Amino acid sequence: MTTAAPVRPLTVVSAGVVSSAGYGLAPLAALLDGEAAAGADAGPGAGDYPPRPVRPVPGFKLADHLGRKGIKYLDRLTGLSLVACKQALESAGPDGAGAEPARTGVVLATNTGSIAGYTDLLYDTLTLDKPQLINPGKFSNSVMNVSAGQMAIRHGFKGLNATVAGGRSASLYAFRHARMAMSVGHADRLLVGGSEELSAPTAWAWHHAGTLSERAPVGEGSAVFVVTSDPTAEEQETALADLLACEVGYNGWAGLNQRQEGRRGLTHGLAAAITRVLERSAVRAEDVDVVSLGATHHLGLERLEERAVRLALGHLPQQVRVGEVLGETYSASGAMQLAGLLAHWRGKPSERPRVGLVTSVGHDGNAGALIVRSRV
């Protein structure tokens, strides 16, 4: 068996997080440590929600963060992404965006874009009298990559701009894409993360799908990270963590009604991804201190994910379950899991760099793993 070649770490310069916990890593850390209670509030916008908990970003108004100029037709998904992007850049300092805009880009994970935006357009199309006088301002913001595009336009990024869709593993696909782009010289600095909005159609879709347990909340949010392969001396001193290897892949559909063979294949697929990231990171299984799990509350996947971690590591280390407190954030879950890991380490000094594992698995057969190393 050939040993995988080690990879060059990507430095996490800063993070921007918008979630039901609030803004930034500090409120998320308080929530994970039990110092704050997870709220259950009425969902944003119009429409009735299903009988299950929801976790919206409390009191979110885009104008409060960006002003009123140029936001009239922006959907909630784009708004969450823009605020997280702004936070990440502000936290990174005056040179957070890099010296060369042409070498700075965006890689953002999402599922299908704004579901609420699509359903509003569809409703208008079907109900308005002919000719359907649908507001043309809504069309430009109904495409899946509008969030990544708006991030680049507002901050003058002229480099790589990618929107990655991959179900629950979309954020890990985004991190993998960012690593590949930097390794071949397509960017020096990237804003990488994921975003998902909460709406009545989305909540009802989860409710009827039958893949979440009855007590599982549905949430929303965005987590964006400034990453670079060549940090400055100042950034080396203040960096949050290093992203080591990331592996993702498709292992065959494993839906609720799928045979045991499908589940077994997905288990071994995730375990193989974990083993590969350990090899590429030159990290031993026993050195993994904590795992940030992504399949919390997912029927048939929660135990599968734990089984795969045990299979790859030989044990199940300390666990961080962001989904317990933030709710199901689907394509943004991997980015939220990374934010949860950084929040878990926040304010807890260690004698040595800690190693964390972020895992993701979905009924669609996608699975992935990411190794993260803390800065002491």
Side-chain angles (χ1 to χ4, degrees):
M1 179 178 177
T2 303
T3 303
V7 294
R8 183 180 180 183
L10 296 183
T11 300
V12 181
V13 176
S14 64
V17 183
V18 182
S19 70
S20 59
Y23 300 89
L25 292 174
L28 179 55
L31 199 59
L32 289 171
D33 291 342
E35 299 173 4
D41 199 357
D48 295 327
Y49 281 69
R52 69 165 58 238
V54 293
R55 298 285 187 267
V57 177
F60 180 76
K61 294 181 180 178
L62 185 56
D64 293 342
H65 303 274
L66 301 182
R68 297 188 177 277
K69 185 177 180 180
I71 68 169
K72 182 177 182 180
Y73 296 117
L74 296 183
D75 54 52
R76 188 177 180 90
L77 177 70
T78 303
L80 294 171
S81 305
L82 288 174
V83 174
C85 174
K86 180 184 178 183
Q87 285 185 6
L89 290 173
E90 290 177 347
S91 298
D95 297 324
E100 292 290 337
R103 302 287 299 166
T104 301
V106 178
V107 183
L108 188 68
T110 185
N111 182 36
T112 55
S114 174
I115 297 294
Y118 297 155
T119 54
D120 285 347
L121 280 175
L122 178 60
Y123 182 82
D124 289 347
T125 301
L126 296 175
T127 60
L128 292 180
D129 293 334
K130 294 183 179 181
Q132 289 91 346
L133 300 178
I134 299 172
N135 192 327
K138 294 182 178 181
F139 278 98
S140 61
N141 293 307
S142 65
V143 294
M144 187 173 67
N145 62 344
V146 64
S147 295
Q150 282 289 329
M151 289 166 67
I153 291 169
R154 285 180 171 265
H155 297 285
F157 306 146
K158 298 179 181 179
L160 167 73
N161 193 278
T163 298
V164 182
R168 300 201 69 259
S169 300
S171 289
L172 292 195
Y173 274 101
F175 289 125
R176 172 71 171 166
H177 187 86
R179 167 171 294 289
M180 293 175 63
M182 285 191 173
S183 67
V184 296
H186 288 174
D188 295 332
R189 187 169 297 244
L190 290 170
L191 282 93
V192 189
S195 189
E196 197 73 65
E197 69 175 7
L198 176 65
S199 66
T202 303
W204 275 110
W206 279 114
H207 189 65
H208 288 303
T211 57
L212 293 178
S213 64
E214 292 184 0
R215 63 189 179 91
V218 180
E220 66 174 350
S222 180
V224 174
F225 308 89
V226 175
V227 303
T228 180
S229 58
D230 188 22
T232 65
E234 290 184 2
E235 290 171 343
Q236 287 280 21
E237 293 293 326
T238 60
L240 298 176
D242 291 313
L243 302 183
L244 305 182
C246 182
E247 293 292 330
V248 285
Y250 176 71
N251 303 276
W253 181 68
L256 285 174
N257 299 320
Q258 180 61 289
R259 294 181 179 180
Q260 190 65 29
E261 290 80 1
R263 301 289 182 85
R264 188 178 298 114
L266 189 53
T267 302
H268 287 282
L270 177 56
I274 296 171
T275 300
R276 185 167 174 81
V277 294
L278 291 174
E279 292 176 352
R280 301 205 71 189
S281 304
V283 171
R284 299 177 302 174
E286 56 267 30
D287 291 335
V288 177
D289 302 295
V290 58
V291 56
S292 185
L293 298 167
T296 303
H297 293 313
H298 278 260
L299 301 177
L301 291 182
E302 192 166 3
R303 291 184 179 179
L304 183 155
E305 186 177 37
E306 294 177 1
R307 192 179 306 120
V309 173
R310 285 194 182 95
L311 184 63
L313 300 183
H315 69 290
L316 186 63
Q318 183 182 10
Q319 302 144 55
V320 172
R321 297 179 182 270
V322 176
E324 287 275 5
V325 295
L326 299 185
E328 174 56 40
T329 54
Y330 200 48
S331 61
S333 60
M336 289 298 186
Q337 287 169 247
L338 175 57
L341 194 59
L342 298 179
H344 172 72
W345 285 333
R346 181 183 174 88
K348 300 172 184 175
S350 173
E351 295 180 356
R352 65 171 179 84
R354 291 156 290 189
V355 177
L357 172 67
V358 176
T359 57
S360 178
V361 63
H363 286 294
D364 58 2
N366 284 300
L370 169 68
I371 290 287
V372 187
R373 184 174 60 210
S374 74
R375 295 296 182 100
V376 178

